[in-house]
Amino acid sequence: MPEREVDVLTVRWYERAAGSPDVVTRWLAAAREHLPEAMPRRFGDVEPLRGRLDRDGEDGVRRAHERAGTLFFLAGTPPVYSCSLSAGKPGHFGPTVAHSLTAVLAPDDERVRRFALALTHPQTVFVSASVDAQTLDRGELWGGPDRQPFLAPLGDWLGLPPRPPVWCWIGPAYTRLVRRRVEGAEIAGGLLWTGGPWVGERLWARLSEVDPARRHAVRMPGGLRRNLLRMLLSARR
């Protein structure tokens, strides 16, 4: 396959670690129903990915995820190229975990949108879909700066992005805070935003701040900031 530049769709799910149902079970069910290419043809927590769905089955995916460290990687079937799921003990870092999917698909592809929404639940905080130019070489995606910032470093939720993604789902924790300004379809307890006015500045993550302690949005739902004392106690166990 010759090298070429492609537009890559990145979908990210941010959710509270506490109270979230098993992500592997959700992922497999959503892929079977909406996006078969997202089924994990190969999987593991280190490269090269040694797990194989055709050999180990879905139970093998679950067992490998339970043994993984902080991240668990999946390789789908083109046009779905790579995915990552949070792993490890909930709350090992901060209260928020993130999962992602990258695919060479149009952002308005309804299969991707249905897949993304099928993974949401009451503890999902935010789902974003953004487009990034990357190089496709020999069936692998390389390079390309992510045009949407990562909003939960070390599990510490910073707030909503200052610049909106192509589309997003704003979870139940935010609906009361954004409803007066943002218009969207009400789905699964949240708002599906596909364009129009964006959220107010007080809800934006302050990503340009040098001091990490000042990068949180002025206004955020409760329980999403990292508790440093809890982190220290967890690290000693």
Side-chain angles (χ1 to χ4, degrees):
M1 179 182 295
E3 179 180 308
R4 60 191 175 96
E5 189 172 90
V6 294
D7 286 339
V8 174
L9 179 68
T10 299
V11 182
R12 280 207 182 102
W13 296 258
Y14 298 93
E15 58 189 33
R16 298 177 191 265
S20 289
D22 176 61
V23 65
V24 172
T25 298
R26 284 185 283 140
W27 188 281
L28 295 173
R32 276 195 301 269
E33 184 172 358
H34 303 294
L35 191 62
E37 295 91 340
M39 290 294 284
R41 182 170 48 87
R42 292 183 291 112
F43 54 87
D45 58 348
V46 294
E47 290 282 359
L49 305 181
R50 300 189 182 278
R52 285 173 34 193
L53 183 64
D54 61 354
R55 180 192 64 205
D56 306 320
E58 294 186 7
D59 285 341
V61 182
R62 294 186 181 92
R63 289 192 297 269
H65 179 255
E66 290 172 357
R67 296 192 301 266
T70 56
L71 280 177
F72 185 66
F73 302 100
L74 313 175
T77 302
V80 175
Y81 283 87
S82 61
C83 314
S84 67
L85 307 180
S86 176
K89 295 180 179 179
H92 181 69
F93 292 107
T96 311
V97 295
H99 318 296
S100 71
L101 172 145
T102 58
V104 182
L105 289 170
D108 59 355
D109 190 302
E110 281 300 319
R111 297 183 307 150
V112 175
R113 192 167 293 178
R114 288 194 296 267
F115 175 80
L117 295 174
L119 284 178
T120 63
H121 56 87
Q123 301 304 321
T124 306
V125 178
F126 186 62
V127 180
S128 71
S130 60
V131 175
D132 178 30
Q134 295 190 24
T135 300
L136 179 61
D137 183 19
R138 299 178 184 178
E140 299 288 341
L141 290 169
W142 302 94
D146 184 12
R147 295 179 184 174
Q148 272 293 312
F150 186 66
L151 299 170
L154 294 178
D156 189 18
W157 176 250
L158 300 180
L160 298 174
R163 182 174 53 82
V166 177
W167 60 261
C168 65
W169 183 86
I170 302 171
Y174 270 105
T175 51
R176 182 180 60 82
L177 301 179
V178 306
R179 197 178 298 277
R180 290 185 179 181
R181 185 180 181 103
V182 171
E183 295 182 359
E186 294 189 16
I187 299 176
L191 293 175
L192 177 63
W193 181 91
T194 56
W198 186 231
V199 301
E201 188 172 351
R202 288 171 60 83
L203 298 176
W204 297 354
R206 296 181 292 178
L207 302 169
S208 61
E209 290 285 351
V210 176
D211 182 359
R214 295 178 55 86
R215 291 178 184 165
H216 301 89
V218 174
R219 193 176 185 191
M220 295 203 310
L224 289 174
R225 292 190 63 164
R226 182 174 52 182
N227 186 314
L228 294 178
L229 176 61
R230 186 180 303 164
M231 285 181 61
L232 291 173
L233 293 175
S234 176
R236 291 178 180 178
R237 292 173 183 170

